[in-house]
Amino acid sequence: MKSAETPVRDEITAFLHDYARAVAAGDSAAVAASYAETYIEGDPGGAAAITNDTDYRTALDQRHTAMTEQFGLTGAHVTVLDVLDLAPGYVLVPTRWTLDFAPPHGTAGSAQFAQTYVVRVGDEGPQILLYLSHEREDEAMRKLGLSD
């Protein structure tokens, strides 16, 4: 695979930076708009097809509330490591996320997660079709002492 051309790289990088801001802000409408109507989400524990509907946006709201109230999420930042041509109209995007926490009880800190996306690049803008986490989020949260 070769790196995508600069305009595509720039578009994907801007798209994922906007997505990270939406994640940090709890903007479920913007987060949901970043995904296809149905997409695949996976981690080392398994994978699932996710339907991007009203219930999904409600779950995003609940997740953000839990992340901020229980774990003290204060920031989400993404670094795009590369944008690789996968097939015409599709790119593979390895990333490194940093989530910052200041829990109500405990020590502030950051967690890093490696995640890879398959993104469709089309006339209507990028859409995430596949999201793979290289670690299990629950295990990373336990290592930080944020969960049992």
Side-chain angles (χ1 to χ4, degrees):
M1 269 181 267
K2 66 178 179 94
S3 291
E5 294 182 18
T6 300
V8 173
R9 290 178 61 82
D10 292 347
E11 178 183 20
I12 295 300
T13 299
F15 166 72
L16 286 172
H17 286 167
D18 288 345
Y19 173 71
R21 282 189 289 278
V23 167
D27 184 346
S28 62
V31 170
S34 302
Y35 287 90
E37 187 175 324
T38 301
Y39 72 95
I40 298 172
E41 189 173 289
D43 69 14
I50 307 295
T51 301
N52 186 348
D53 58 10
T54 304
D55 291 341
Y56 174 71
R57 287 183 288 286
T58 299
L60 287 173
D61 288 335
Q62 292 169 345
R63 176 175 167 74
H64 186 264
T65 297
M67 293 292 284
T68 54
E69 291 178 1
Q70 183 178 357
F71 303 125
L73 179 69
T74 59
H77 315 279
V78 66
T79 301
V80 175
L81 303 175
D82 206 347
V83 178
L84 301 164
D85 285 327
L86 187 59
Y90 298 88
V91 293
L92 183 72
V93 188
T95 66
R96 171 68 62 188
W97 280 80
T98 302
L99 300 181
D100 301 318
F101 299 95
H105 308 288
T107 306
S110 297
Q112 290 199 340
F113 301 92
Q115 297 177 343
T116 300
Y117 298 88
V118 172
V119 180
R120 174 152 172 52
V121 182
D123 294 337
E124 296 179 19
Q127 276 197 319
I128 298 167
L129 303 177
L130 170 68
Y131 151 67
L132 292 172
S133 180
H134 297 221
E135 307 69 39
R136 287 183 53 135
E137 186 178 291
D138 58 338
E139 290 174 7
M141 300 295 272
R142 262 194 306 282
K143 286 180 188 174
L144 276 177
L146 295 172
S147 66
D148 301 325

